[in-house]
Amino acid sequence: MFYLARPQNPCLLSSLNRRKFLALAGLPVVYAASLPAGVQLLGLEPADPLPGKHPGLTVLNDRPVNAETPAHLLNDKVTPAELMFVRNNGAVPRGLPELPTSLPGDWTLRIAGEAVPEPVTFTLEELQRRFTAHTYQLTLECGGNGRKEFSPPARGNQWSTGAVGCPKWTGVRLKDVLEAAGYDRKRAVYVGYYGKDTHLSGDPDKVVISRGVPIAKALEDESLIAWALNGKPLPLLNGYPLRLVFGGYPASCSGKWLSEIVVRDQVHDGEKMGGQSYRVPCEPVAPGTTVEDEDMCIILEMPVKSLITSPRTGAVVERGTPLSIAGHAWCGSSAVERMEYSIDFGSSWSRCQLAAPANRFAWQHFSARVNFPKPGYYEVWARATDTAGRSQPMVLPGWNPRGYLNNACHRIAVKVV
């Protein structure tokens, strides 16, 4: 009998999706000897495939782990930890608990770089004791959220709409820690990070990702070195025990498993800061165009965007019954000033009720009651406009090679009977 826990057929196992293999571990594969060559086992999807995460998350990749949250599960005003999306570039550091309940006593954070006279190291306990803790609700969104809509297709994980969340983060202000480290204000240009995640090749000398932000962003009040999400230790897959959080910038700037911060006298040149990573063409290009690296610019602020979280697409409504819709809207540097919906494919727009943000860089909640004139198929489109007058486009915005910054109107399908 063939058991996946003690494989006897390496060729067969190589054809299995690793995550499905883990779900099958310990089960005998009855009639394994009769499986035709080249045919893959379907596998069994685990009930909860990711530690600490809701089973409803859509896993896009398991090496590294990347998972998004379906829009209808993001209806909470404060995103629960189990519903926070996962975007990793390497392997989770070994030796950490899958479901953390307390903070480790031996974790340290080093502050170095050209604009720091002498490197300084803080323990996690020192960060908590020496500096004032702050809690902010901050929106984090993957720069590639919405990538699957680009045509021709763009490289990378094919995110739909769920690589976004807005929980409450607790930690210390980055600027307070930099000041304590005695950084040189005149030399400081950029802040970069290094984490303890490991390269998928297993090479300990390869850096997985090391991105950063301009010093002005690093010094904002809401820029945090965080150890808690919604009042509890960070989930392992979201950076336990320590991470950066920069609301309004691509989530890749908010380094996880944080072990070192460097204050640079130049634009940070760490892994995934150059080439095509997290960059878009400096000037618009036609779809499918090959763009040279020198013609790509670093993504800074995220664009204005919104998401209908209730009801889920495919809702059925009785004629004459208003449909209540709800969702969130957010933007990179300011606030959302106006929220609208359309049921006629953007020919006309109606206003939604829009709440103020809990704080800067928090998403804002909107709601409306929608009436439909007669039975049939409808789409409800959502459009946000920020205080600078920038609105979401009705169709896919400027194509780019890596499929970043898709902020086209979110829409759901509705059947009126």
Side-chain angles (χ1 to χ4, degrees):
M1 187 68 70
F2 171 59
Y3 286 82
L4 286 182
R6 297 182 182 276
Q8 299 175 5
N9 188 338
C11 293
L12 177 61
L13 283 185
S14 67
S15 70
L16 285 173
N17 173 283
R18 177 176 175 272
R19 189 164 58 91
K20 294 179 179 179
F21 163 66
L22 292 175
L24 279 168
L27 290 177
V29 179
V30 184
Y31 304 122
S34 301
L35 185 70
V39 175
Q40 297 185 11
L41 295 179
L42 294 176
L44 298 172
E45 295 289 347
D48 188 0
L50 301 176
K53 293 299 177 181
H54 190 284
L57 263 64
T58 302
V59 178
L60 303 183
N61 193 12
D62 59 3
R63 197 172 184 272
V65 177
N66 290 285
E68 67 173 319
T69 312
H72 69 277
L73 293 180
L74 285 171
N75 200 44
D76 297 273
K77 292 184 177 181
V78 178
T79 306
E82 66 172 3
L83 292 175
M84 187 66 187
F85 76 98
V86 178
R87 169 60 174 118
N88 293 333
N89 287 268
V92 175
R94 294 182 178 181
L96 297 175
E98 284 194 348
L99 300 173
T101 58
S102 61
L103 297 176
D106 58 351
W107 196 273
T108 59
L109 175 63
R110 185 173 185 262
I111 311 296
E114 299 96 340
V116 176
E118 294 290 337
V120 179
T121 299
F122 299 96
T123 65
L124 185 46
E125 185 274 333
E126 285 177 320
L127 290 175
Q128 293 179 302
R129 174 171 48 83
R130 288 186 55 179
F131 302 98
T132 302
H134 298 271
T135 298
Y136 296 106
Q137 191 179 354
L138 302 171
T139 306
L140 281 192
E141 181 182 14
C142 176
N145 198 23
R147 178 180 287 130
K148 70 180 299 182
E149 295 184 10
F150 280 87
S151 180
R155 291 177 52 194
N157 290 298
Q158 297 301 299
W159 304 102
S160 58
T161 59
V164 64
C166 190
K168 293 180 179 179
W169 307 91
T170 298
V172 294
R173 287 172 173 163
L174 174 57
K175 69 175 183 180
D176 293 344
V177 176
L178 297 185
E179 288 174 1
Y183 83 102
D184 188 333
R185 292 174 174 79
K186 293 182 179 180
R187 295 189 66 187
V189 173
Y190 234 83
V191 168
Y193 68 78
Y194 292 91
K196 290 189 176 181
D197 42 345
T198 56
H199 199 273
L200 295 178
S201 67
D203 186 342
D205 296 325
K206 282 191 174 182
V207 176
V208 176
I209 183 171
S210 175
R211 302 204 67 239
V213 299
I215 188 65
K217 180 66 178 178
L219 298 180
E220 291 179 335
D221 285 349
E222 299 84 3
S223 296
L224 293 181
I225 301 173
W227 56 73
L229 186 155
N230 295 341
K232 296 182 179 180
L234 297 169
L236 174 63
L237 293 175
N238 296 116
Y240 171 87
L242 200 64
R243 69 170 296 163
L244 288 167
V245 183
F246 296 113
Y249 268 46
S252 57
C253 296
S254 298
K256 299 183 286 292
W257 308 291
L258 184 66
S259 61
E260 183 174 0
I261 292 172
V262 287
V263 187
R264 307 296 309 276
D265 62 359
Q266 62 181 47
V267 175
H268 185 51
D269 55 0
E271 184 65 24
K272 296 190 183 296
M273 280 295 295
Q276 307 266 318
S277 297
Y278 301 102
R279 290 173 175 248
V280 295
C282 300
E283 301 293 336
V285 299
T289 300
T290 298
V291 185
E292 299 299 325
D293 290 355
E294 59 266 25
D295 296 323
M296 302 285 280
C297 289
I298 298 171
I299 298 170
L300 297 176
E301 296 175 1
M302 296 294 287
V304 63
K305 200 166 182 178
S306 62
L307 185 66
I308 301 171
T309 56
S310 179
R312 64 188 301 175
T313 191
V316 178
V317 183
E318 291 187 7
R319 181 181 183 181
T321 303
L323 174 68
S324 295
I325 64 169
H328 315 294
W330 62 95
C331 57
S333 62
S334 54
V336 176
E337 186 173 64
R338 185 171 72 253
M339 191 67 216
E340 301 165 292
Y341 72 87
S342 174
I343 62 171
D344 55 13
F345 303 107
S347 296
S348 63
W349 295 88
S350 300
R351 295 290 286 264
C352 299
Q353 292 184 319
L354 180 66
N359 49 253
R360 194 179 180 209
F361 303 121
W363 63 17
Q364 298 169 240
H365 319 298
F366 68 83
S367 61
R369 287 171 64 82
V370 182
N371 291 290
F372 301 95
K374 60 183 179 180
Y377 173 88
Y378 293 87
E379 289 188 5
V380 180
W381 291 16
R383 182 175 71 178
T385 301
D386 67 15
T387 53
R390 296 169 293 198
S391 297
Q392 291 180 260
M394 290 193 293
V395 295
L396 192 75
W399 184 91
N400 60 86
R402 292 294 180 89
Y404 294 123
L405 305 184
N406 178 6
N407 69 327
C409 293
H410 184 225
R411 53 199 181 111
I412 62 170
V414 176
K415 179 180 180 181
V416 178
V417 296

